[in-house]
Amino acid sequence: MNERNKLSMRSVRRMRTKQGLSQRAAGRRRWLRTRWVAAVIGGVAVAAVTTFLVAGSGSDPTGPKELTSDQANRLAVTRFLNYQAGGRAVTIEVPGTAGGLTITGSIDYRGKIGYGVVRGTGRDTSSDGLIQWTATTVFVHPMTDPPAKAPARPPGSGWVSRPLQKYGSSLDSSLTIALKLGSDRPDNAELLPQNGAAWVGEDRLDGHQVDIMTGPSAARTTGARTTTDTAGADAVRYWIGSDGTMYRVRVGVASASQPVVIDFDTQKYVPVRPVPGATPAR
């Protein structure tokens, strides 16, 4: 082989060597890029899973669920149990644009009459005093310094009466709703889920484990049976214990931006005596 051919072969080998090194380097760079991209994607996936776990670890329900037969049975008897008990102690939180009202007292579900102390919250004291109500009439006894608890026997004088309003008054809507949370017969447990009643969560209320359920619809719920002031199909929620006992009811009313909240057993039940001259609805 002449000298020129030897030099040409050496040049070719050097070029192939360089090309080989370049290809191996390029391949290594591609492999590193691939591993980097995989690591980034894997990190995003891990972050996404972590976010999901953190977000999903709370106790809030993901949405309404169909009632089980046990839940439907408890919702069906909850008002009947109030009636069977004769009466319940209640605290009613009434919302209002000028400030709320708090009524603390008792409701006789067989006599269909409520009685207690009313106080303004975040407002003046012009509404403070004693209050008693039936399905048709509200009796108010104004007091500048009302007691913590209503006297067992209502005062014999100083009462002012007026008709109970069915529309436009969050106070009167609250009174009506509270009075209708007792019934002399259970509801139909089979019809409740068919008409939209649902389970929406669970809670612990004053030491009681409860399920939160919605009523069947605004047109069929307890309060809406006598008051069209309720707002929305999901306007009524019940906090119900394992034996069907009602511990809280929250009701949206069209005349207020916030819901009415009725809590039971907030104090000792005191039998309700009618205001002198008042006749409870039967």
Side-chain angles (χ1 to χ4, degrees):
M1 183 180 296
N2 58 35
E3 197 65 30
R4 182 180 295 178
N5 289 339
K6 290 180 180 180
L7 292 173
S8 297
M9 290 297 292
R10 291 193 188 101
S11 297
V12 169
R13 283 196 295 270
R14 284 196 298 269
M15 291 177 63
R16 287 178 178 174
T17 301
K18 290 180 180 180
Q19 288 175 351
L21 291 172
S22 299
Q23 290 173 351
R24 284 196 295 272
R28 181 172 179 80
R29 286 195 297 270
R30 284 194 298 271
W31 178 77
L32 289 173
R33 282 198 300 269
T34 302
R35 290 201 61 180
W36 180 82
V37 171
V40 171
I41 294 174
V44 172
V46 170
V49 171
T50 303
T51 302
F52 174 79
L53 290 175
V54 171
S57 63
S59 59
D60 292 338
T62 56
K65 295 182 180 179
E66 184 177 350
L67 293 176
T68 65
S69 59
D70 173 67
Q71 291 164 352
N73 286 331
R74 284 187 281 146
L75 181 59
V77 302
T78 191
R79 295 192 308 129
F80 178 62
L81 293 179
N82 282 347
Y83 180 85
Q84 273 194 325
R88 301 283 301 278
V90 297
T91 294
I92 307 171
E93 299 289 345
V94 183
T97 54
L101 293 171
T102 299
I103 300 169
T104 306
S106 299
I107 297 177
D108 181 342
Y109 282 112
R110 296 191 180 187
K112 299 180 181 178
I113 184 171
Y115 171 59
V117 178
V118 58
R119 286 187 179 81
T121 54
R123 56 187 293 168
D124 58 37
T125 60
S126 60
S127 300
D128 290 5
L130 303 178
I131 188 169
Q132 187 168 116
W133 71 99
T134 68
T136 59
T137 309
V138 178
F139 301 87
V140 178
H141 188 289
M143 301 178 73
T144 56
D145 187 19
K149 297 179 181 179
R153 186 181 296 276
S157 60
W159 292 92
V160 179
S161 66
R162 62 172 178 80
L164 185 144
Q165 300 179 42
K166 293 186 177 181
Y167 313 98
S169 168
S170 56
L171 171 61
D172 287 16
S173 294
S174 302
L175 300 177
T176 300
I177 292 166
L179 204 62
K180 297 298 289 185
L181 291 175
S183 175
D184 61 359
R185 68 198 67 182
D187 292 312
N188 189 321
E190 294 183 359
L191 292 180
L192 289 175
Q194 296 177 24
N195 292 329
W199 178 93
V200 294
E202 57 185 17
D203 198 358
R204 191 163 185 83
L205 197 63
D206 294 331
H208 303 283
Q209 189 66 35
V210 295
D211 286 295
I212 307 171
M213 309 180 204
T214 60
S217 72
R220 297 183 179 90
T221 49
T222 301
R225 287 175 182 172
T226 55
T227 304
T228 58
D229 198 26
T230 53
D234 189 25
V236 184
R237 291 193 175 196
Y238 302 87
W239 277 249
I240 300 176
S242 59
D243 60 351
T245 300
M246 185 185 299
Y247 289 104
R248 172 177 289 172
V249 175
R250 192 186 74 187
V251 188
V253 293
S255 55
S257 59
Q258 299 295 321
V260 175
V261 178
I262 303 169
D263 283 308
F264 292 86
D265 300 337
T266 49
Q267 67 279 335
K268 183 179 179 180
Y269 173 73
V270 177
V272 179
R273 296 173 180 265
V275 167
T279 303
R282 296 286 180 180

